[in-house]
Amino acid sequence: MAKYFDVHPENPQRRTISGVADSIRSGALIAYPTDSCFALGCQLGNREGLARIRQIRELGDKHHFTLVCQNFAQLGQFVHVDNDVFRAIKASTPGAYTFILKATSEVPRQLLHPKKKTVGVRIPDHVVAQALLEELGEPLLSSTLLLPGEDEPMTQGWEIKERLDHVVDAVVDSGDCGTRPTTVIDFSAGEAEIVRRGAGDTDRFE
């Protein structure tokens, strides 16, 4: 049965956030809110958590997982960013964007696209997600909480708790979440390629 963490959306309780972070460090797979929609998340090196995300979402081996980072300095440890790409990403973060880039050696091999050796990265503009990332001190391995055969993610923490009670270990609820996933921009070839139009404005990448 999943733990349920009720978090204030503007002033997250430190003790509650600490409890969520402890669960993640202990191997938990969580559902948590972001500035786009709810996501599934676990610790970066958690192979079992990764396998469970694949199973819940029925994902193939070419799916791009995302490292959700607290800030740009953290993001830069995990992907290669040249000057032009740096400026474009810096101007769009924090925000509802996922950027696909060539991964550094810091990224576990099982997270990489098998041919391109790329990974998704993002910095959310969300108080609770940021509080959790700060407490954790490392990125969260994440994927949009979109169940197979469904067109939109779930928006209510209680609904996620009810439906996924036996497949996730914790649900973090800070109120309604959006239904539009992030806009995905692939910079792995040097130029911006819009892979998915979502919550983030695409004008600067056109």
Side-chain angles (χ1 to χ4, degrees), residues 84-96:
D84 290 341
V85 172
F86 173 90
R87 284 190 289 271
I89 295 177
K90 188 76 170 173
S92 307
T93 55

Side-chain angles (χ1 to χ4, degrees), residues 40 49-66 142-144 146-148:
L40 294 168
L50 176 65
R52 290 167 67 189
I53 293 173
R54 286 191 189 279
Q55 186 174 23
I56 291 168
R57 291 205 54 202
E58 298 180 4
L59 300 172
D61 64 355
K62 290 182 175 60
H63 177 77
H64 269 110
F65 285 93
T66 300
S142 293
S143 183
T144 302
L146 182 62
L147 298 180

Side-chain angles (χ1 to χ4, degrees), residues 1-4 29-31 38 40 52 55-58 145-171 173 179:
M1 184 175 291
K3 292 180 182 177
Y4 183 79
L29 173 63
I30 71 165
F38 272 97
L40 294 168
R52 290 167 67 189
Q55 186 174 23
I56 291 168
R57 291 205 54 202
E58 298 180 4
L145 206 177
L146 182 62
L147 298 180
E150 299 196 359
D151 295 327
E152 289 191 343
M154 288 177 281
T155 62
Q156 304 277 349
W158 63 265
E159 181 188 10
I160 294 168
K161 171 82 165 76
E162 196 171 80
R163 290 187 60 187
L164 302 183
D165 204 25
H166 298 291
V167 293
V168 300
D169 302 305
V171 176
D173 189 1
T179 59

Side-chain angles (χ1 to χ4, degrees), residues 85-161:
V85 172
F86 173 90
R87 284 190 289 271
I89 295 177
K90 188 76 170 173
S92 307
T93 55
Y97 298 91
T98 298
F99 300 100
I100 297 172
L101 292 156
K102 296 287 185 182
T104 69
S105 58
E106 296 291 316
V107 180
R109 188 170 51 83
Q110 64 267 25
L111 300 186
L112 303 179
H113 187 283
K115 291 184 178 178
K116 298 179 180 179
K117 308 304 180 190
T118 49
V119 71
V121 287
R122 91 179 199 86
I123 302 170
D125 186 13
H126 191 277
V127 172
V128 174
Q130 278 289 340
L132 180 55
L133 290 164
E134 182 180 9
E135 179 68 26
L136 196 59
E138 61 180 303
L140 265 172
L141 164 60
S142 293
S143 183
T144 302
L145 206 177
L146 182 62
L147 298 180
E150 299 196 359
D151 295 327
E152 289 191 343
M154 288 177 281
T155 62
Q156 304 277 349
W158 63 265
E159 181 188 10
I160 294 168
K161 171 82 165 76

